[in-house]
Amino acid sequence: MASFKSTKIPIYPKLGEKVTPDTLYWKNYKAPVQIKEFGAVTSIDFSSLAPHNYAVTASTRIHIYGPFSTEPVKTFTRFKDTAYSGKFRSDGQLLVAGCEDSMVRLFDVSGKVALRVFKGHTKGVHVTDFTSDCYHILTGSDDYTCRLWDIPNSTELTSYKEHTDYIRCGITSKLNRDIFITGSYDHTLRVFDARVEKSVMTMDHSQPVESVLLYPSEGLLVSAGGRYVKVWDLLKGGQPLVSLKNHHKTVTCLSLSSNGQRLLSASLDRHVKIYNTTNYKVVHNFDYAASILSLALAPDDESIVVGMTNGVLSIKHRKSPEEKREMAGKQRMQPVYRIFVKGRNYVPKKDDFLVSKPVKSHLAKYDKQLKKFNISKALDTALESWRRNRKPEITVAVMKELDRRGTLKNALAGRDEQNLSQLLNFLIGNVVDPRFTPVLVTATEMILDIYQAVVGQSSVVDRQLVRLQELVEREVDYQQDLLEVLGMLDTLFATVFCKCTHLYVYLNLCIQTGHKATIHFFGTPSNCLSLLMFL
Amino acid sequence: MVEHAEIRMVHRGGSKINFREPVITNDSRFLLCAAGESVNVYSTSTEEYVHDLQGHTGLVTGVVLNPSNHLQVYSCSADGTVRLWDFTDAILIKTFIIGYPIYSIYVSEKHGGVVFLVVPMANYKSSELFQLVAVHLPHSGDQEVEARELSAVLCDVSPHAGAASFGREGEYIAAVRGLQLEVFFFKKQKSYRFSLKSGKKKGAKNAFTCISCHPKEDCIATGHEDGKIRMWRNFNQKKEYTYSTLHWHHGAVNTLCFTPEGTNLLSGGIESVLVHWHYTQENQKDFLPRLGAAITHIAVSPDGSLFSTSHSDNKITIIQSCVKVSAVIQGLVKGDGVWTNLIIDPRSKALVLNGKPGHLQFYSLHRDKQLYNLDIVQQEYIHEEGLDQFEVVKAAFDARGDWLATVEERRKKGAELEINLKLWAYDELTQSFVLNTTVTAPHEDQITAMFFSPSPETTMLVTTSLDGHFKAWLLADHSDANEGFWACDFVGGYHLLKPGCCSFSADGSLLSVGFQEVVTVWSPASWELLTTLSQPPGAIRDLCFGRLSCSKYLLGASTKNQLCCWNLLTCSLEWSTPMDVSLLQTDPLSENMAAFCSQSGSSDLFVFKPSEPRPLYSQKALCTGKVQHAVFAPRDQMLESCEERTQWLNRSQLYFFTQHMDLLTFSTKTEEDRLLASSKQLMVDDSVAVTPFYLLLGKHRGQQLEKQEALTNPMAERTQLPQGSIAIKELLHTPAHVLPSASFLCAMFVRSLLISSSSAREEKEHEEGEMEREEEDSEGEADPRLGESAAWGPPEEFGAPALTKAQERELRKVKTFDHSWLSSLLDC
């Protein structure tokens, strides 16, 4: 006597993103901690010293947070106007910040009052940074100049006035104390050498530059401006390598992951995108609630800190391995000792006589009904599961099973208004899903056959029927569009080249199965044509 | 026919064991069932085959226990004889020659010495009219007795088993046919007929299907086509009979059976549910569901503790006290069709073909026994007529047997085809196949062929379909810890023609796909179309690459009576011959190919090498009808025949299915001799339950006994001693772990060296004793107790190698002792 074989729920291909090592890595963060700042968060900088505090510049203050604190461990409030670009020195002892009032202040991290105040700029200073020898400071200002200052003497060393618009970003080389790079709203990036009077290299980004970044090797430079992220090869004299256009609003901030393998870009479009630095493909994407102005990664990617225009600072901490395990454990129900465990872990002794008890297999609710041949109830329970946890696969599988048993019509018949409208709701939701269409089309036809006599008696059902009709019409149009694409491709491929046969066959299959990706790829028939012309 | 003397066609795969109702013996230890031309005896506790009763020359159509001696059975056959057997020792006691083909047999305790047979009406031999006759079996000492005294009891009865039944204590017999129930009372010598209306309205189909009479009360239960069971009472008069109706079955009631005490009624039908009705409370019933296939017969052991149900898939299940299936006896399932062709599993060397619906069966050819069923469809099977079920239509193994690919298909009326491609990985741990990948709708139309690439480096599967494409499937690399899955690697086509067949070359470097008239040759490594070959007219039906020295040849059989052979080096036609080849099959171990040709209603077989002009072997008129399925199965032991005609059977054996689903094979004389020799070695002591473990141990013991024999038998000893004493050598050469303890051997060994003077005399005495026993045996029919004790003794004496006399005596003592105990138990 065989046991009842439960209904197979097929595993359909997921239409969402693929699970890659990258998604697993970047999804492994806890829910973000949110801290409200006084104004838009313009800059975040991590200290390289052990606890890895970070300075958050927002409005007229700089807060320093500990790695796991939600309250600032230190606050610098001696700014007359909006502060910008609070940066730690590489030894973590000093902090420099620019200000809208054109003064640059240097703080001791443990002190409160500014150690030095550098005066000389005529407009707000948006860019500050320490050089790699720790004795100089680079500043860039809205007065189009960038200057180098000496810390011990608090004197201005050099001033460059080559940019023709606001300087909003800049970075010093970590390997050479004299090299620094600035980006400006005049669309250019300039590489300066403190030993030389003029800039040594100029690159045209063709958009106002918002952020620059050097690779650890400092052979490559990344700049962000407008919707573009561009990568430049400094060793080849500033030759552009790649231009990435993955955001649909201005990219405001760039960052590298700790191992230098991934590049992160944050944008006003509220996304953070993560690129693979070998092929510059987007491997992951974070969504945030508001436009992002600043972004920083803690060493070892322990946390991602993002500052937004609405003044919210969002901190995501990486899950520790124990927590990860805990999460996995939590999903399983803890067994109740009295019911599940009692006696289970008893090891029989030597002379014990063991009576084995058959293991009882548990059936799903709909399977229990199917086993008893209660077909209507089986369909009801399956619909229930769809309403509860939105799993149309189960409902479709049960419908398929009923169809195989030749009793789908009986199961669909004899329903009242409420029941029928539920059923129609389900159909409207899923009938055009290519994964379920073959089964649901038969079910729809059966429903129309069964209930055609009562059409017009209930306004609810009638409305749903009209919706269903519209849906089907739309789908038919859509399929027709797809066929048109296919026809165009046919003619093109027939005339052009035979190397594309594989692609063609793939497209053919895609279109025949109504693959959504195809239409994403092509958009519209005309788009597709232009693409082919390009090829 | 001299030329065919050494190659013979042999039936394989057993016969139908569900043809007639089986019989369970009184002590519930054996189950007897009609199987083709013999009666098979199975052990009920271990489901092992014990032996068979051979002697009938026609289909056995019924087996019943002899009511006067429960160690004997009657069997009737279409060859017109009734035979009486001692089933414990498989001895034919008597043969009664009736002279007409017999369709079923009934006996009753009240009518001693009389059997009731269903035979064709004498006047209408050709027509479909049958009568129930009573035959007095004459007492006589002869082995063969003519029993021609037939007295008709009922005319116009149904030839099916279960259409007649004896009533309370044999007072009446009831039979059904069509819409009529007839009861014959022996005392009054009068019969009553009751008929039902045909009942066209409300879908009622009133025709009777089966009958069973209550053993203690006057009540007849009849089964009907619409699933109703009617309980007839008060039928000893024409007018005032009554019946009540029980209805649970939705299909026809195939069989009915009362338990011996009459407390329960068992019924079964197509639903494959054994329904257990309580006789007194008729609305109370128990079920034993999901028995696997439609129930065709139910039998109950005389003490009511065991039930057995025969199923339409050639299976008998034994059920203990109506709740637990305790044993399943399964024959080769011959379903509606073999869509998968015959395949050999490279690992177990078992023949694989469609079994139960939605299953593949693995049938061991060497043991002639079904190994197991693999559930492919994995869906609850709904036993209902007219449903479109999933069927396994294609199956293929890869070269090492690590992967199994199956295609299942369900065609709905007026709806699109549902196809699933499933790939199964062999799991070493569980020793069976585990589902790895399911591909729903791998093609848009029927899959016509499916093969694995035989090359050992890549596991690649190619499917061709009527949708005009062929697809190659590859195992995706398993990057993580979990196993890889299969994915489509390449889709190919040729001018939108429909591919009908495909074949890989022996090393897997070439793939040929037949697109109607055109054969395309591809390189699976780069998926380049290498060349096309064509020999119109006629679409290509079958493609085969040559093997070993003939691997440069590609053979194709086309629909227009042509067999072509292309040379792949020159890409030209080597030869072609007009032949209507229905099937082309290559031997994987040699260059040989077998072509089955259908000609004027019968099939011819040609075995040839593609490189040689003359066939190695040919046989005209192999069997009637087309041969559609055949396979070369590798032998486990190579034959060394030098005979030119039988050489092709040295490495592998050719199995094929005829149109009537008989599995046939070719066997040579040398092989048969070997088989005969090996079968003699295996003797089974039936006082121990026959388990596979026992068989193993028994063999082992047998070997030991033989050795002892060699040691103890003085005759052997005397002749062998001068020639360097083989016995001693054998004793020294056998591994120590198979020998009994040394102290035990020593005494015997020393004793064996003595020449016993009394042994010869004793032997003679013993033989006389045995003869006496046999005489008792034949007389013993009247007295069951006496016959019983006699029937047990002798078998070992013949078969088992001689023990020392003392041992033998001891053994016999134990046996008789054991026996009296058992018979006393039976008496009470």
Side-chain angles (χ1 to χ4, degrees), chain A residues 1-6 8 10 371 373 400-401 403-407 438 442 502 505 509 512-513, chain B residues 288-291 325 359 375 378-382 384 387-390 410 412 416 418 444 490-491:
Chain A
M1 188 177 71
S3 55
F4 181 82
K5 289 171 196 160
S6 55
K8 272 263 140 63
K371 190 180 171 187
F373 289 83
K400 198 171 176 185
E401 171 69 14
D403 189 30
R404 184 180 73 88
R405 293 177 173 213
T407 49
T442 35
H502 296 333
V505 169
L509 287 171
Q512 278 172 8
T513 51
Chain B
L288 192 62
R290 290 185 288 282
L291 289 172
V325 173
H359 288 65
D375 187 0
Q378 296 187 326
Q379 263 177 345
E380 182 72 8
Y381 187 80
I382 306 298
E384 201 178 305
L387 268 188
D388 307 301
Q389 308 275 12
F390 267 109
R410 186 168 87 102
K412 282 181 282 184
E416 60 190 283
E418 278 180 62
E444 275 145 57
F490 176 74
V491 182

Side-chain angles (χ1 to χ4, degrees), chain B residues 170-239:
Chain B
E171 281 188 3
Y172 54 89
I173 188 166
V176 290
R177 180 185 171 88
L179 289 163
Q180 194 167 285
L181 165 70
E182 191 168 1
V183 186
F184 181 81
F185 289 89
F186 291 106
K187 223 178 242 170
K188 290 189 252 178
Q189 288 290 317
K190 198 172 170 190
S191 74
Y192 295 102
R193 284 167 186 248
F194 311 99
S195 42
L196 290 170
K197 292 197 188 80
S198 63
K200 283 283 183 292
K201 63 175 184 233
K202 285 196 242 163
K205 285 180 278 182
N206 278 338
F208 289 95
T209 52
C210 53
I211 187 168
S212 180
C213 295
H214 195 282
K216 298 277 148 79
E217 287 175 38
D218 281 332
C219 176
I220 299 173
T222 57
H224 297 264
E225 258 177 25
D226 55 357
K228 284 185 184 135
I229 297 169
R230 287 191 169 86
M231 308 287 274
W232 302 74
R233 290 190 180 83
N234 218 7
F235 43 77
N236 50 7
Q237 56 224 340
K238 198 110 191 126
K239 292 273 162 59

Side-chain angles (χ1 to χ4, degrees), chain B residues 188-438:
Chain B
K188 290 189 252 178
Q189 288 290 317
K190 198 172 170 190
S191 74
Y192 295 102
R193 284 167 186 248
F194 311 99
S195 42
L196 290 170
K197 292 197 188 80
S198 63
K200 283 283 183 292
K201 63 175 184 233
K202 285 196 242 163
K205 285 180 278 182
N206 278 338
F208 289 95
T209 52
C210 53
I211 187 168
S212 180
C213 295
H214 195 282
K216 298 277 148 79
E217 287 175 38
D218 281 332
C219 176
I220 299 173
T222 57
H224 297 264
E225 258 177 25
D226 55 357
K228 284 185 184 135
I229 297 169
R230 287 191 169 86
M231 308 287 274
W232 302 74
R233 290 190 180 83
N234 218 7
F235 43 77
N236 50 7
Q237 56 224 340
K238 198 110 191 126
K239 292 273 162 59
E240 289 174 15
Y241 65 90
T242 58
Y243 62 77
S244 57
T245 309
L246 309 173
H247 198 173
W248 181 86
H249 293 276
H250 67 73
V253 183
N254 279 345
T255 175
L256 280 173
C257 188
F258 272 106
T259 51
E261 292 303 313
T263 49
N264 294 310
L265 172 66
L266 307 171
S267 69
I270 191 181
E271 304 88 356
S272 82
V273 180
L274 181 68
V275 189
H276 189 205
W277 309 82
H278 296 262
Y279 177 65
T280 42
Q281 303 117 338
E282 277 163 0
N283 41 14
Q284 236 183 20
K285 47 193 178 284
D286 298 329
F287 304 104
L288 192 62
R290 290 185 288 282
L291 289 172
I295 297 173
T296 52
H297 304 286
I298 300 173
V300 185
S301 70
D303 59 355
S305 63
L306 286 185
F307 304 154
S308 84
T309 52
S310 307
H311 298 269
S312 57
D313 61 351
N314 209 11
K315 177 175 82 173
I316 297 176
T317 51
I318 295 164
I319 296 157
Q320 250 167 8
S321 53
C322 200
V323 282
K324 210 180 102 212
V325 173
S326 68
V328 176
I329 301 163
Q330 174 85 65
L332 178 66
V333 185
K334 292 166 184 169
D336 316 327
V338 182
W339 299 281
T340 56
N341 277 343
L342 304 179
I343 315 158
I344 297 292
D345 174 15
R347 218 174 256 271
S348 63
K349 305 279 182 284
L351 183 72
V352 179
L353 67 157
N354 281 107
K356 294 195 282 186
H359 288 65
L360 277 183
Q361 60 179 329
F362 287 66
Y363 194 88
S364 167
L365 291 167
H366 299 306
R367 293 169 57 200
D368 216 6
K369 185 174 189 288
Q370 195 188 43
L371 297 178
Y372 63 99
N373 270 306
L374 181 67
D375 187 0
I376 300 295
V377 173
Q378 296 187 326
Q379 263 177 345
E380 182 72 8
Y381 187 80
I382 306 298
H383 297 277
E384 201 178 305
E385 270 174 280
L387 268 188
D388 307 301
Q389 308 275 12
F390 267 109
E391 283 298 348
V392 184
V393 289
K394 287 278 176 294
F397 284 95
D398 79 335
R400 275 172 299 172
D402 291 340
W403 290 97
L404 163 69
T406 59
V407 176
E408 64 206 43
E409 207 179 81
R410 186 168 87 102
R411 188 180 282 285
K412 282 181 282 184
K413 278 171 235 107
E416 60 190 283
L417 194 70
E418 278 180 62
I419 311 176
N420 289 330
L421 170 67
K422 283 181 179 169
L423 286 133
W424 307 75
Y426 189 79
D427 186 10
E428 291 281 356
L429 207 69
T430 56
Q431 295 282 307
S432 72
F433 286 93
V434 181
L435 185 60
N436 177 277
T437 309
T438 309

Side-chain angles (χ1 to χ4, degrees), chain B residues 115 317 455:
Chain B
V115 292
T317 51
S455 77

Side-chain angles (χ1 to χ4, degrees), chain B residues 536-827:
Chain B
I540 299 294
R541 194 191 277 160
D542 230 328
L543 274 174
C544 272
F545 275 97
R547 309 233 160 211
L548 304 173
S549 67
C550 302
S551 52
K552 62 181 177 195
Y553 296 110
L554 171 67
L555 278 95
S558 75
T559 49
K560 286 275 164 69
N561 294 351
Q562 218 163 26
L563 179 66
C564 312
C565 177
W566 288 281
N567 188 335
L568 289 170
L569 299 178
T570 58
C571 290
S572 61
L573 191 70
E574 189 89 358
W575 50 262
S576 77
T577 162
M579 265 168 124
D580 185 16
V581 177
S582 62
L583 187 70
L584 200 60
Q585 198 73 34
T586 49
D587 184 353
L589 297 178
S590 66
E591 297 102 335
N592 301 334
M593 289 196 169
F596 289 91
C597 311
S598 57
Q599 212 161 40
S600 60
S602 66
S603 283
D604 306 337
L605 169 70
F606 296 94
V607 180
F608 60 94
K609 278 184 193 176
S611 54
E612 284 172 25
R614 280 176 56 82
L616 295 170
Y617 175 79
S618 67
Q619 176 149 16
K620 298 258 176 197
L622 199 64
C623 58
T624 56
K626 252 187 191 177
V627 172
Q628 294 285 17
H629 312 287
V631 73
F632 275 102
R635 285 182 192 275
D636 51 349
Q637 234 175 325
M638 234 181 80
L639 284 187
E640 269 138 34
S641 154
C642 315
E643 200 82 37
E644 203 184 327
R645 299 193 58 80
T646 60
Q647 233 168 13
W648 64 281
L649 284 170
N650 274 0
R651 285 165 172 277
S652 37
Q653 226 171 345
L654 181 64
Y655 287 85
F656 63 95
F657 255 122
T658 63
Q659 214 171 23
H660 308 292
M661 307 294 289
D662 292 321
L663 183 64
L664 297 178
T665 187
F666 292 94
S667 116
T668 59
K669 208 170 175 197
T670 46
E671 191 191 352
E672 270 164 35
D673 290 346
R674 207 175 62 188
L675 269 177
L676 212 68
S678 67
S679 69
K680 271 184 185 163
Q681 291 171 0
L682 205 78
M683 284 308 297
V684 177
D685 183 357
D686 64 353
S687 62
V688 185
V690 187
T691 59
F693 174 70
Y694 176 75
L695 282 177
L696 201 74
L697 192 77
K699 207 170 170 182
H700 173 78
R701 278 209 189 131
Q703 283 171 357
Q704 276 189 1
L705 281 174
E706 265 168 55
K707 300 228 172 79
Q708 284 172 12
E709 176 199 19
L711 294 174
T712 52
N713 194 339
M715 286 298 284
E717 201 61 36
R718 244 175 293 162
T719 48
Q720 279 160 10
L721 266 172
Q723 295 146 13
S725 92
I726 295 166
I728 294 168
K729 213 185 266 174
E730 208 167 322
L731 174 68
L732 295 175
H733 279 261
T734 39
H737 63 272
V738 289
L739 285 173
S741 69
S743 56
F744 177 68
L745 270 181
C746 178
M748 258 205 279
F749 181 66
V750 171
R751 208 182 306 145
S752 73
L753 294 176
L754 301 170
I755 300 160
S756 153
S757 60
S758 60
S759 69
R761 203 177 59 226
E762 255 183 16
E763 204 148 69
K764 205 176 254 172
E765 267 174 26
H766 166 58
E767 265 171 29
E768 278 167 18
E770 242 170 37
M771 261 149 75
E772 270 170 33
R773 274 163 182 281
E774 281 211 343
E775 274 164 34
E776 271 172 21
D777 211 344
S778 49
E779 286 161 15
E781 281 168 46
D783 184 354
R785 239 150 287 158
L786 225 168
E788 183 185 19
S789 55
W792 281 80
E796 284 76 28
E797 274 87 339
F798 295 123
L803 309 164
T804 55
K805 295 300 150 191
Q807 274 177 324
E808 207 164 271
R809 229 173 287 136
E810 190 71 30
L811 198 76
R812 204 172 302 153
K813 211 189 281 170
V814 169
K815 271 199 178 162
T816 44
F817 169 71
D818 172 46
H819 216 283
S820 57
W821 168 77
L822 201 80
S823 59
S824 68
L825 197 81
L826 285 169
D827 283 345

